mmCIF file of all heavy atoms in Angstrom:
data_model
loop_
_atom_site.group_PDB
_atom_site.id
_atom_site.type_symbol
_atom_site.label_atom_id
_atom_site.label_comp_id
_atom_site.label_asym_id
_atom_site.label_seq_id
_atom_site.Cartn_x
_atom_site.Cartn_y
_atom_site.Cartn_z
ATOM 1 N N VAL A 1 37.182 38.896 -41.819
ATOM 2 C CA VAL A 1 37.273 38.414 -40.441
ATOM 3 C C VAL A 1 38.648 37.785 -40.226
ATOM 4 O O VAL A 1 39.148 37.054 -41.078
ATOM 5 C CB VAL A 1 36.155 37.385 -40.149
ATOM 6 C CG1 VAL A 1 36.278 36.825 -38.735
ATOM 7 C CG2 VAL A 1 34.788 38.018 -40.365
ATOM 8 N N ALA A 2 39.262 38.081 -39.094
ATOM 9 C CA ALA A 2 40.564 37.509 -38.775
ATOM 10 C C ALA A 2 40.431 36.005 -38.546
ATOM 11 O O ALA A 2 39.349 35.508 -38.210
ATOM 12 C CB ALA A 2 41.131 38.173 -37.525
ATOM 13 N N PRO A 3 41.507 35.238 -38.725
ATOM 14 C CA PRO A 3 41.446 33.793 -38.494
ATOM 15 C C PRO A 3 40.951 33.456 -37.091
ATOM 16 O O PRO A 3 41.372 34.065 -36.103
ATOM 17 C CB PRO A 3 42.905 33.354 -38.690
ATOM 18 C CG PRO A 3 43.464 34.349 -39.652
ATOM 19 C CD PRO A 3 42.829 35.649 -39.263
ATOM 20 N N GLU A 4 40.047 32.485 -37.007
ATOM 21 C CA GLU A 4 39.478 32.039 -35.739
ATOM 22 C C GLU A 4 39.555 30.514 -35.683
ATOM 23 O O GLU A 4 38.634 29.823 -36.142
ATOM 24 C CB GLU A 4 38.026 32.506 -35.589
ATOM 25 C CG GLU A 4 37.856 34.014 -35.508
ATOM 26 C CD GLU A 4 36.424 34.434 -35.209
ATOM 27 O OE1 GLU A 4 35.522 33.567 -35.274
ATOM 28 O OE2 GLU A 4 36.204 35.619 -34.919
ATOM 29 N N PRO A 5 40.614 29.952 -35.134
ATOM 30 C CA PRO A 5 40.759 28.491 -35.107
ATOM 31 C C PRO A 5 39.736 27.789 -34.235
ATOM 32 O O PRO A 5 39.567 26.572 -34.340
ATOM 33 C CB PRO A 5 42.182 28.292 -34.566
ATOM 34 C CG PRO A 5 42.507 29.555 -33.835
ATOM 35 C CD PRO A 5 41.797 30.637 -34.581
ATOM 36 N N TRP A 6 39.051 28.533 -33.394
ATOM 37 C CA TRP A 6 38.042 27.954 -32.497
ATOM 38 C C TRP A 6 36.664 27.846 -33.154
ATOM 39 O O TRP A 6 35.765 27.217 -32.614
ATOM 40 C CB TRP A 6 37.911 28.816 -31.242
ATOM 41 C CG TRP A 6 37.647 30.275 -31.554
ATOM 42 C CD1 TRP A 6 36.443 30.874 -31.809
ATOM 43 C CD2 TRP A 6 38.623 31.309 -31.669
ATOM 44 N NE1 TRP A 6 36.599 32.204 -32.071
ATOM 45 C CE2 TRP A 6 37.942 32.500 -31.992
ATOM 46 C CE3 TRP A 6 40.016 31.346 -31.511
ATOM 47 C CZ2 TRP A 6 38.597 33.728 -32.164
ATOM 48 C CZ3 TRP A 6 40.675 32.545 -31.690
ATOM 49 C CH2 TRP A 6 39.974 33.714 -32.015
ATOM 50 N N HIS A 7 36.481 28.457 -34.303
ATOM 51 C CA HIS A 7 35.155 28.561 -34.930
ATOM 52 C C HIS A 7 35.004 27.476 -35.986
ATOM 53 O O HIS A 7 35.704 27.457 -36.989
ATOM 54 C CB HIS A 7 35.010 29.945 -35.564
ATOM 55 C CG HIS A 7 33.650 30.225 -36.143
ATOM 56 N ND1 HIS A 7 32.930 31.359 -35.853
ATOM 57 C CD2 HIS A 7 32.866 29.512 -36.993
ATOM 58 C CE1 HIS A 7 31.780 31.348 -36.509
ATOM 59 N NE2 HIS A 7 31.720 30.212 -37.200
ATOM 60 N N ILE A 8 34.056 26.547 -35.760
ATOM 61 C CA ILE A 8 33.773 25.503 -36.738
ATOM 62 C C ILE A 8 32.342 25.645 -37.246
ATOM 63 O O ILE A 8 31.481 26.193 -36.565
ATOM 64 C CB ILE A 8 34.008 24.089 -36.170
ATOM 65 C CG1 ILE A 8 33.002 23.762 -35.067
ATOM 66 C CG2 ILE A 8 35.450 23.962 -35.668
ATOM 67 C CD1 ILE A 8 33.072 22.301 -34.594
ATOM 68 N N SER A 9 32.127 25.150 -38.447
ATOM 69 C CA SER A 9 30.833 25.321 -39.105
ATOM 70 C C SER A 9 30.437 24.038 -39.809
ATOM 71 O O SER A 9 31.288 23.349 -40.391
ATOM 72 C CB SER A 9 30.940 26.463 -40.126
ATOM 73 O OG SER A 9 29.716 26.664 -40.805
ATOM 74 N N HIS A 10 29.154 23.713 -39.765
ATOM 75 C CA HIS A 10 28.666 22.532 -40.488
ATOM 76 C C HIS A 10 28.589 22.872 -41.974
ATOM 77 O O HIS A 10 27.922 23.837 -42.371
ATOM 78 C CB HIS A 10 27.291 22.121 -39.971
ATOM 79 C CG HIS A 10 26.857 20.774 -40.462
ATOM 80 N ND1 HIS A 10 26.149 20.610 -41.623
ATOM 81 C CD2 HIS A 10 27.052 19.523 -39.959
ATOM 82 C CE1 HIS A 10 25.893 19.321 -41.812
ATOM 83 N NE2 HIS A 10 26.438 18.644 -40.820
ATOM 84 N N ILE A 11 29.282 22.098 -42.782
ATOM 85 C CA ILE A 11 29.450 22.439 -44.190
ATOM 86 C C ILE A 11 28.112 22.552 -44.925
ATOM 87 O O ILE A 11 27.818 23.569 -45.554
ATOM 88 C CB ILE A 11 30.344 21.395 -44.892
ATOM 89 C CG1 ILE A 11 31.753 21.414 -44.289
ATOM 90 C CG2 ILE A 11 30.407 21.668 -46.395
ATOM 91 C CD1 ILE A 11 32.644 20.271 -44.755
ATOM 92 N N VAL A 12 27.296 21.522 -44.848
ATOM 93 C CA VAL A 12 26.077 21.484 -45.651
ATOM 94 C C VAL A 12 25.031 22.478 -45.158
ATOM 95 O O VAL A 12 24.499 23.288 -45.931
ATOM 96 C CB VAL A 12 25.483 20.059 -45.660
ATOM 97 C CG1 VAL A 12 24.117 20.045 -46.347
ATOM 98 C CG2 VAL A 12 26.437 19.101 -46.356
ATOM 99 N N GLN A 13 24.737 22.446 -43.862
ATOM 100 C CA GLN A 13 23.638 23.267 -43.358
ATOM 101 C C GLN A 13 23.984 24.760 -43.338
ATOM 102 O O GLN A 13 23.115 25.600 -43.563
ATOM 103 C CB GLN A 13 23.225 22.797 -41.964
ATOM 104 C CG GLN A 13 22.680 21.378 -41.936
ATOM 105 C CD GLN A 13 21.514 21.165 -42.886
ATOM 106 O OE1 GLN A 13 20.695 22.065 -43.087
ATOM 107 N NE2 GLN A 13 21.422 19.974 -43.461
ATOM 108 N N SER A 14 25.240 25.098 -43.082
ATOM 109 C CA SER A 14 25.609 26.525 -43.114
ATOM 110 C C SER A 14 25.516 27.053 -44.543
ATOM 111 O O SER A 14 25.113 28.202 -44.763
ATOM 112 C CB SER A 14 27.009 26.743 -42.545
ATOM 113 O OG SER A 14 27.998 26.149 -43.364
ATOM 114 N N ASP A 15 25.878 26.221 -45.519
ATOM 115 C CA ASP A 15 25.792 26.641 -46.917
ATOM 116 C C ASP A 15 24.346 26.875 -47.333
ATOM 117 O O ASP A 15 24.031 27.849 -48.025
ATOM 118 C CB ASP A 15 26.434 25.586 -47.814
ATOM 119 C CG ASP A 15 26.408 25.989 -49.287
ATOM 120 O OD1 ASP A 15 27.056 26.993 -49.639
ATOM 121 O OD2 ASP A 15 25.738 25.305 -50.091
ATOM 122 N N ILE A 16 23.458 26.000 -46.887
ATOM 123 C CA ILE A 16 22.040 26.178 -47.206
ATOM 124 C C ILE A 16 21.532 27.503 -46.668
ATOM 125 O O ILE A 16 20.858 28.273 -47.373
ATOM 126 C CB ILE A 16 21.211 25.011 -46.633
ATOM 127 C CG1 ILE A 16 21.504 23.716 -47.392
ATOM 128 C CG2 ILE A 16 19.711 25.329 -46.680
ATOM 129 C CD1 ILE A 16 20.883 22.475 -46.776
ATOM 130 N N LEU A 17 21.867 27.798 -45.413
ATOM 131 C CA LEU A 17 21.374 29.036 -44.812
ATOM 132 C C LEU A 17 22.038 30.259 -45.414
ATOM 133 O O LEU A 17 21.380 31.297 -45.612
ATOM 134 C CB LEU A 17 21.568 28.999 -43.300
ATOM 135 C CG LEU A 17 20.559 28.116 -42.573
ATOM 136 C CD1 LEU A 17 20.911 27.976 -41.104
ATOM 137 C CD2 LEU A 17 19.146 28.684 -42.711
ATOM 138 N N GLN A 18 23.317 30.159 -45.730
ATOM 139 C CA GLN A 18 23.981 31.306 -46.343
ATOM 140 C C GLN A 18 23.334 31.667 -47.673
ATOM 141 O O GLN A 18 23.234 32.842 -48.036
ATOM 142 C CB GLN A 18 25.473 31.040 -46.538
ATOM 143 C CG GLN A 18 26.249 32.288 -46.965
ATOM 144 C CD GLN A 18 27.734 32.126 -46.847
ATOM 145 O OE1 GLN A 18 28.278 31.139 -47.325
ATOM 146 N NE2 GLN A 18 28.401 33.070 -46.218
ATOM 147 N N GLN A 19 22.864 30.654 -48.398
ATOM 148 C CA GLN A 19 22.192 30.906 -49.668
ATOM 149 C C GLN A 19 20.856 31.618 -49.485
ATOM 150 O O GLN A 19 20.337 32.221 -50.430
ATOM 151 C CB GLN A 19 21.985 29.596 -50.419
ATOM 152 C CG GLN A 19 23.272 28.976 -50.935
ATOM 153 C CD GLN A 19 23.031 27.689 -51.704
ATOM 154 O OE1 GLN A 19 22.029 27.546 -52.399
ATOM 155 N NE2 GLN A 19 23.938 26.739 -51.562
ATOM 156 N N HIS A 20 20.313 31.546 -48.265
ATOM 157 C CA HIS A 20 19.030 32.212 -47.994
ATOM 158 C C HIS A 20 19.206 33.563 -47.309
ATOM 159 O O HIS A 20 18.207 34.225 -46.990
ATOM 160 C CB HIS A 20 18.132 31.306 -47.137
ATOM 161 C CG HIS A 20 17.463 30.219 -47.925
ATOM 162 N ND1 HIS A 20 18.043 28.997 -48.119
ATOM 163 C CD2 HIS A 20 16.275 30.190 -48.582
ATOM 164 C CE1 HIS A 20 17.229 28.236 -48.846
ATOM 165 N NE2 HIS A 20 16.163 28.939 -49.139
ATOM 166 N N GLN A 21 20.463 33.969 -47.082
ATOM 167 C CA GLN A 21 20.674 35.300 -46.548
ATOM 168 C C GLN A 21 20.172 36.332 -47.558
ATOM 169 O O GLN A 21 20.319 36.163 -48.760
ATOM 170 C CB GLN A 21 22.152 35.554 -46.254
ATOM 171 C CG GLN A 21 22.636 34.929 -44.965
ATOM 172 C CD GLN A 21 24.078 35.273 -44.677
ATOM 173 O OE1 GLN A 21 24.909 35.272 -45.570
ATOM 174 N NE2 GLN A 21 24.379 35.536 -43.431
ATOM 175 N N SER A 22 19.613 37.413 -47.052
ATOM 176 C CA SER A 22 19.048 38.445 -47.916
ATOM 177 C C SER A 22 19.499 39.811 -47.420
ATOM 178 O O SER A 22 19.297 40.163 -46.261
ATOM 179 C CB SER A 22 17.511 38.365 -47.886
ATOM 180 O OG SER A 22 16.930 39.560 -48.352
ATOM 181 N N LEU A 23 20.142 40.572 -48.300
ATOM 182 C CA LEU A 23 20.553 41.931 -47.929
ATOM 183 C C LEU A 23 19.348 42.795 -47.573
ATOM 184 O O LEU A 23 19.431 43.650 -46.693
ATOM 185 C CB LEU A 23 21.341 42.572 -49.069
ATOM 186 C CG LEU A 23 22.861 42.466 -49.012
ATOM 187 C CD1 LEU A 23 23.477 43.087 -50.259
ATOM 188 C CD2 LEU A 23 23.408 43.125 -47.769
ATOM 189 N N THR A 24 18.234 42.540 -48.236
ATOM 190 C CA THR A 24 17.020 43.322 -47.954
ATOM 191 C C THR A 24 16.509 43.042 -46.546
ATOM 192 O O THR A 24 16.197 43.970 -45.785
ATOM 193 C CB THR A 24 15.922 42.989 -48.978
ATOM 194 O OG1 THR A 24 16.386 43.315 -50.296
ATOM 195 C CG2 THR A 24 14.653 43.778 -48.679
ATOM 196 N N VAL A 25 16.428 41.759 -46.178
ATOM 197 C CA VAL A 25 15.970 41.395 -44.834
ATOM 198 C C VAL A 25 16.972 41.894 -43.796
ATOM 199 O O VAL A 25 16.587 42.402 -42.736
ATOM 200 C CB VAL A 25 15.781 39.867 -44.719
ATOM 201 C CG1 VAL A 25 15.476 39.471 -43.278
ATOM 202 C CG2 VAL A 25 14.655 39.403 -45.646
ATOM 203 N N LEU A 26 18.277 41.760 -44.086
ATOM 204 C CA LEU A 26 19.301 42.248 -43.158
ATOM 205 C C LEU A 26 19.182 43.749 -42.957
ATOM 206 O O LEU A 26 19.234 44.236 -41.816
ATOM 207 C CB LEU A 26 20.691 41.888 -43.691
ATOM 208 C CG LEU A 26 21.886 42.395 -42.878
ATOM 209 C CD1 LEU A 26 21.837 41.876 -41.451
ATOM 210 C CD2 LEU A 26 23.185 41.996 -43.559
ATOM 211 N N ALA A 27 19.013 44.495 -44.034
ATOM 212 C CA ALA A 27 18.882 45.954 -43.928
ATOM 213 C C ALA A 27 17.639 46.336 -43.127
ATOM 214 O O ALA A 27 17.691 47.237 -42.277
ATOM 215 C CB ALA A 27 18.820 46.577 -45.319
ATOM 216 N N ASP A 28 16.534 45.641 -43.369
ATOM 217 C CA ASP A 28 15.305 45.932 -42.617
ATOM 218 C C ASP A 28 15.490 45.618 -41.131
ATOM 219 O O ASP A 28 15.027 46.368 -40.262
ATOM 220 C CB ASP A 28 14.143 45.101 -43.172
ATOM 221 C CG ASP A 28 13.658 45.600 -44.520
ATOM 222 O OD1 ASP A 28 14.001 46.741 -44.886
ATOM 223 O OD2 ASP A 28 12.943 44.845 -45.212
ATOM 224 N N THR A 29 16.178 44.510 -40.829
ATOM 225 C CA THR A 29 16.414 44.117 -39.443
ATOM 226 C C THR A 29 17.261 45.168 -38.726
ATOM 227 O O THR A 29 16.956 45.572 -37.597
ATOM 228 C CB THR A 29 17.123 42.745 -39.384
ATOM 229 O OG1 THR A 29 16.306 41.770 -40.031
ATOM 230 C CG2 THR A 29 17.362 42.313 -37.947
ATOM 231 N N ILE A 30 18.317 45.621 -39.376
ATOM 232 C CA ILE A 30 19.191 46.635 -38.775
ATOM 233 C C ILE A 30 18.456 47.965 -38.646
ATOM 234 O O ILE A 30 18.554 48.652 -37.626
ATOM 235 C CB ILE A 30 20.473 46.791 -39.609
ATOM 236 C CG1 ILE A 30 21.312 45.513 -39.527
ATOM 237 C CG2 ILE A 30 21.286 48.007 -39.146
ATOM 238 C CD1 ILE A 30 22.487 45.485 -40.461
ATOM 239 N N ASN A 31 17.711 48.340 -39.672
ATOM 240 C CA ASN A 31 16.992 49.617 -39.660
ATOM 241 C C ASN A 31 15.982 49.685 -38.530
ATOM 242 O O ASN A 31 15.727 50.765 -37.971
ATOM 243 C CB ASN A 31 16.294 49.820 -41.001
ATOM 244 C CG ASN A 31 15.746 51.224 -41.165
ATOM 245 O OD1 ASN A 31 16.434 52.204 -40.915
ATOM 246 N ND2 ASN A 31 14.488 51.312 -41.579
ATOM 247 N N ASN A 32 15.412 48.548 -38.153
ATOM 248 C CA ASN A 32 14.411 48.510 -37.090
ATOM 249 C C ASN A 32 15.009 48.198 -35.720
ATOM 250 O O ASN A 32 14.288 47.847 -34.787
ATOM 251 C CB ASN A 32 13.340 47.466 -37.423
ATOM 252 C CG ASN A 32 12.487 47.879 -38.609
ATOM 253 O OD1 ASN A 32 12.124 49.037 -38.739
ATOM 254 N ND2 ASN A 32 12.198 46.944 -39.497
ATOM 255 N N SER A 33 16.327 48.342 -35.609
ATOM 256 C CA SER A 33 17.022 48.047 -34.361
ATOM 257 C C SER A 33 17.580 49.324 -33.740
ATOM 258 O O SER A 33 17.470 50.420 -34.308
ATOM 259 C CB SER A 33 18.182 47.079 -34.626
ATOM 260 O OG SER A 33 19.252 47.757 -35.284
ATOM 261 N N GLN A 34 18.190 49.160 -32.566
ATOM 262 C CA GLN A 34 18.865 50.261 -31.894
ATOM 263 C C GLN A 34 20.382 50.058 -31.987
ATOM 264 O O GLN A 34 21.117 50.339 -31.055
ATOM 265 C CB GLN A 34 18.429 50.315 -30.420
ATOM 266 C CG GLN A 34 16.949 50.552 -30.213
ATOM 267 C CD GLN A 34 16.498 51.881 -30.814
ATOM 268 O OE1 GLN A 34 17.164 52.897 -30.642
ATOM 269 N NE2 GLN A 34 15.376 51.856 -31.520
ATOM 270 N N LEU A 35 20.841 49.594 -33.121
ATOM 271 C CA LEU A 35 22.251 49.287 -33.309
ATOM 272 C C LEU A 35 23.080 50.567 -33.365
ATOM 273 O O LEU A 35 22.757 51.503 -34.103
ATOM 274 C CB LEU A 35 22.421 48.487 -34.594
ATOM 275 C CG LEU A 35 23.541 47.454 -34.647
ATOM 276 C CD1 LEU A 35 23.382 46.437 -33.529
ATOM 277 C CD2 LEU A 35 23.541 46.770 -36.007
ATOM 278 N N ALA A 36 24.154 50.593 -32.611
ATOM 279 C CA ALA A 36 25.060 51.735 -32.639
ATOM 280 C C ALA A 36 25.745 51.812 -34.000
ATOM 281 O O ALA A 36 26.149 50.799 -34.568
ATOM 282 C CB ALA A 36 26.117 51.597 -31.541
ATOM 283 N N GLY A 37 25.842 53.048 -34.534
ATOM 284 C CA GLY A 37 26.448 53.223 -35.848
ATOM 285 C C GLY A 37 25.547 52.829 -36.996
ATOM 286 O O GLY A 37 26.022 52.597 -38.109
ATOM 287 N N LYS A 38 24.252 52.772 -36.751
ATOM 288 C CA LYS A 38 23.305 52.248 -37.743
ATOM 289 C C LYS A 38 23.373 52.992 -39.081
ATOM 290 O O LYS A 38 23.345 52.362 -40.151
ATOM 291 C CB LYS A 38 21.892 52.299 -37.172
ATOM 292 C CG LYS A 38 20.820 51.786 -38.111
ATOM 293 C CD LYS A 38 19.523 51.541 -37.382
ATOM 294 C CE LYS A 38 18.873 52.813 -36.868
ATOM 295 N NZ LYS A 38 17.547 52.556 -36.267
ATOM 296 N N ALA A 39 23.494 54.291 -39.044
ATOM 297 C CA ALA A 39 23.514 55.065 -40.295
ATOM 298 C C ALA A 39 24.722 54.685 -41.149
ATOM 299 O O ALA A 39 24.603 54.489 -42.370
ATOM 300 C CB ALA A 39 23.524 56.557 -39.988
#
């Protein structure tokens, strides 16, 4: 991602959620969507 000086993030809570990101859940979410370029 290109530098975004306007984008700020809460250190502790964003880290907690990032640790719970799941490629499997993300793939299922995208697969069940109408996202352009899905394949």
